[in-house]
Structure formats: C-alpha cells, structure tokens
Amino acid sequence: MSTAEHRPAEPRRPSLYGAQLWGQVQHLLLNLPIGIAGFVFTVVTLTVGLALSVTVVGLPLLALGLTGCRWLGSVERTRARAALGATAQEPGPLVRRRQGVSGWVTAVLTDSLGWRSALFNVVLLIWGILSFALTLVLLVVGWPVLPWAMRWLSGLERMLVDSLLAPNALAQRVHELEEDRGAVVDTAAADLRRIERDLHDGAQARLVALAMDLGLAKEKLAETESPEGIAAATAMVGAAHGEVKLALQELRDLARGIHPAVLTDRGLDAALSAVAARCTVPGGVKVHVDLKGAERPDSAVEGIAYFTVSELLTNISKHAAARTATVDAWRVEDRLMLLVQDDGKGGAAAYPGSGLAGLAERIGAVDGVLLVESPAGGPTSITVELPWRTRAARS
C-alpha cells in the first residue's frame, strides 16, 4: 500500500461562493426596504413628538418613538450578528429612577442608545441605497469580485453597527455595578440573618438556660443547709459552668464567622492555615501561600478570599468524599489567585441557588471570577481570581 493512501485528507477550505457569501448578499439587499421603513418611522415619530413637545402628549410620543427606534436597533444588531459577524451585544434594561409614566419618559429621553438608534435608522436609508445598488450591480456584472466586495461592504456595516448600536460602555458598567450592589446587599442581609439565627438558637438559648440553672442553684442553697442540698446545688453550678463554656465557644465560632481575629492580626497565610487545620478531610489539607511583597490586600479582598476558601473546604468535607485537598494562593500582578483542589467524587456545579452560585455572586461583586472544573468522578479544581487592592491604594 502506498504512502499516499496513509496521508490524512486535507481539510476542505470554505467555498468563496458558500452560504456565508449569500447570507451577506441577502443582508445587504434587505437593507433598503428595512432602511426605508426605519427612516419613515423615525422621522415621523420624532418630528411629531418634537413638534408637540410643548403639549402633554408630545414628550410621551417622542419617548414612544425612541422606544421603537431602540427596538429597530435590536433587530439590526441581531441581523448583523447573524450575517456579518458583528460584536455589538444587547444592552441592559432601561434604568428608571422613578415609577410611573413620567419615570419611563425621563428614562427613555435620557437614554443615549435610543438617540443613537434613531441616528442609525436615518443613516441606514443612505447606506441601504448604496449597499443595495452596489450589491445588485456586482451580482449582475461583478461576479468574479463579488466575495471580496461583499467582505468589504460587510466590514463597513459592522463598523456602523458596532459604533452606533453597541451599548454605551459607561452605561453597561453602571448596570453591572448596580447588579453587584444588589448581590452585596443580599449577601449582607443573609449574613445578618445567619448571625441572628445563630445567636438566637445557640448562645442566647444557652445563656437563658444558664440563668435558669443559676437561679435554681441559688434557691437550693437558700432553702437548705443539708449536704444533699449543697451537693445538688453544686451539681447545678457545675452544669451552669459547662453551659458557660459552650456558650463562649459558640460566641467565638460566631465571631470567627464574622471576621476571624487571625486574619486581621496575621494575614491571609495564617488564616488559611487555620481554616485548613479545622477541615475534616481524612488526609488533611495542604496549604501553600506565596504572596509577593510585604503589602497586604485590603480587608474586603482578604475577607472574601478567606470565606471563599472556608466555604469550599466545608463543601469538600460534607459532599466531596475526598481523601486529600490542597489550597494554593498567590499573586499575579494586580490579581489575587486562589486554587482549591480535592480528589473527591466531583460533580460540583454553580447552578442557581447553590452555595457555589452564592460564592460566585459575592466574588463577582468585587470584579472577581470563580471557575469550577469538576467532572463526574473527580477531581475538582476551583479557581478564584480577585482584584489585588492594597490598603495604601484605597486610603
């Protein structure tokens, strides 16, 4: 058998006159009728709305027209992504400062994307005439150069769509920050509920029982001087002493859950070693921390890093059936990296409502990232990336 028979087949190159080309041709030909419809709608609604802006119905009509322009812009973004490979993403919802019709009108009239969409609808008529005419001529007499001409025309329209219809970067950032703020508020409320529940069900209940035991012991001592009564009172005091120690331990655990003293006093290295020492994985947890330089990240980043590792190790102890685990922390330029691994059964995922999803929201609130790699059967690797903000930089 010749060597040529063993040679792997070369991958087929896409045809110049394939489906992509005809998708671009169809898109450019449709620009004219869509451009005419968008131009008529935009000019009529905005002109009438501006002309009647001194009346009660003028501004709502203008806002309605801009809303329609925004919707037409969404259609154009979808068309451009499908046929031309544009990168413009869908914007977030309108941010309304007030409820009611006045709040909606104000939000629409101050939305830059609505006005840019209106401008795009006007420009699209001119571009639609040019692109329709050029595409039609190329289909009839410019057949040999049609693929390259379509690529050039598609590039121009992509630039137009990305520049006028892409969401404003500042508005997107504000929307992301508002979502992050919501996540932080929800996390803080959940933490407060947890602390209240732990105090009510744990230390508070033990202190109430302690007060009752001490009251009974006091009454017993006041009522009798017999050795049996004294022995019973002594036993009550001993039981109360045990309750005091348990209550103190629960209060220490609760304080450690809020913000451990070792993290404040000795930093992330000692805090991660302490939480790893309490993990119940049979083979133990190996910790390696390499934070270059003497500076420390601010308390918010340190706290999130500590509680993330603590939660992940708790999940490993309860659910992973792992024999060993490792925790690595290091700094890469302006990022704090965490890697928690175990040799358990795997299958971990940040599905909605799960503990990992809650961690991802808390990490995302400070512009961090959580990545989960946990195939069925294991092992599991969870990588966390947090911004390195120093105390000096924030002061």
Side-chain angles (χ1 to χ4, degrees):
M1 189 176 293
S2 65
T3 58
E5 296 179 359
H6 294 282
R7 186 178 302 165
E10 295 183 359
R12 298 179 62 184
R13 296 180 179 178
S15 173
L16 290 176
Y17 294 90
Q20 182 179 4
L21 171 66
W22 298 117
Q24 294 171 348
V25 169
Q26 182 185 32
H27 179 93
L28 293 172
L29 290 176
L30 286 175
N31 278 345
L32 181 58
I34 293 176
I36 293 173
F39 179 83
V40 171
F41 173 84
T42 301
V43 170
V44 170
T45 56
L46 297 193
T47 301
V48 174
L50 289 172
L52 298 177
S53 59
V54 294
T55 67
V56 177
V57 298
L59 292 180
L61 181 60
L62 182 60
L64 187 63
L66 290 174
T67 302
C69 293
R70 209 173 192 264
W71 180 82
L72 290 174
S74 177
V75 173
E76 285 304 307
R77 280 191 298 271
T78 303
R79 291 181 63 234
R81 285 196 299 267
L84 309 180
T87 59
Q89 300 299 316
E90 292 300 316
L94 282 174
V95 179
R96 298 175 62 173
R97 305 300 180 187
R98 300 191 309 272
Q99 297 300 319
V101 176
S102 62
W104 172 74
V105 171
T106 303
V108 174
L109 294 181
T110 56
D111 176 40
S112 64
L113 182 59
W115 291 102
R116 286 189 282 116
S117 298
L119 176 61
F120 178 86
N121 290 334
V122 175
V123 174
L124 182 60
L125 176 62
I126 303 172
W127 171 249
I129 295 172
L130 292 175
S131 61
F132 180 88
L134 288 174
T135 303
L136 195 60
V137 170
L138 289 169
L139 282 172
V140 177
V141 298
W143 189 264
V145 298
L146 181 64
W148 294 275
M150 290 298 100
R151 187 180 305 171
W152 182 73
L153 291 174
S154 298
L156 288 178
E157 184 163 342
R158 277 198 307 271
M159 293 173 57
L160 184 64
V161 170
D162 291 339
S163 59
L164 290 180
L165 297 183
N168 182 272
L170 179 59
Q172 287 293 98
R173 182 57 178 164
V174 169
H175 179 65
E176 292 174 359
L177 290 176
E178 288 180 343
E179 290 185 342
D180 292 343
R181 181 183 63 182
V184 170
V185 170
D186 292 341
T187 301
D191 289 340
L192 287 176
R193 288 193 299 268
R194 175 183 60 82
I195 293 170
E196 181 182 9
R197 183 182 63 251
D198 291 345
L199 283 173
H200 183 271
D201 298 339
Q204 181 178 342
R206 292 193 181 277
L207 291 174
V208 170
L210 168 63
M212 294 177 62
D213 290 342
L214 288 176
L216 291 174
K218 180 180 178 181
E219 292 178 1
K220 183 67 70 175
L221 286 174
E223 291 174 357
T224 181
E225 296 180 356
S226 64
E228 294 80 4
I230 294 175
T234 302
M236 290 181 181
V237 172
H241 183 254
E243 289 291 331
V244 169
K245 291 193 291 185
L246 290 175
L248 287 175
Q249 182 60 43
E250 289 184 355
L251 288 174
R252 290 193 192 100
D253 293 339
L254 182 61
R256 186 184 297 116
I258 298 173
H259 197 84
V262 65
L263 179 62
T264 303
D265 298 338
R266 300 175 57 192
L268 197 57
D269 191 351
L272 294 183
S273 298
V275 75
R278 296 194 300 270
C279 185
T280 58
V281 174
V285 180
K286 295 181 179 179
V287 179
H288 180 256
V289 178
D290 181 18
L291 302 180
K292 301 176 182 178
E295 60 183 1
R296 289 171 55 181
D298 67 6
S299 57
V301 174
E302 277 190 338
I304 291 176
Y306 171 83
F307 289 116
T308 298
V309 173
S310 178
E311 183 69 20
L312 292 177
L313 291 180
T314 300
N315 290 343
I316 292 172
S317 300
K318 292 182 177 179
H319 310 297
R323 295 183 302 273
T324 60
T326 60
V327 176
D328 293 283
W330 69 98
R331 179 181 179 180
V332 178
E333 296 179 353
D334 61 345
R335 310 296 285 181
L336 172 61
M337 307 297 297
L338 301 171
L339 177 62
V340 180
Q341 298 175 299
D342 69 79
D343 58 358
K345 60 183 180 182
Y351 56 85
S354 66
L356 286 177
L359 283 178
E361 289 181 358
R362 177 178 291 191
I363 291 167
V366 293
D367 293 334
V369 179
L370 182 141
L371 300 175
V372 180
E373 295 181 9
S374 183
T380 297
S381 297
I382 298 179
T383 305
V384 178
E385 181 179 338
L386 294 169
W388 185 285
R389 301 191 184 111
T390 62
R391 291 186 169 97
R394 294 175 63 88
S395 61

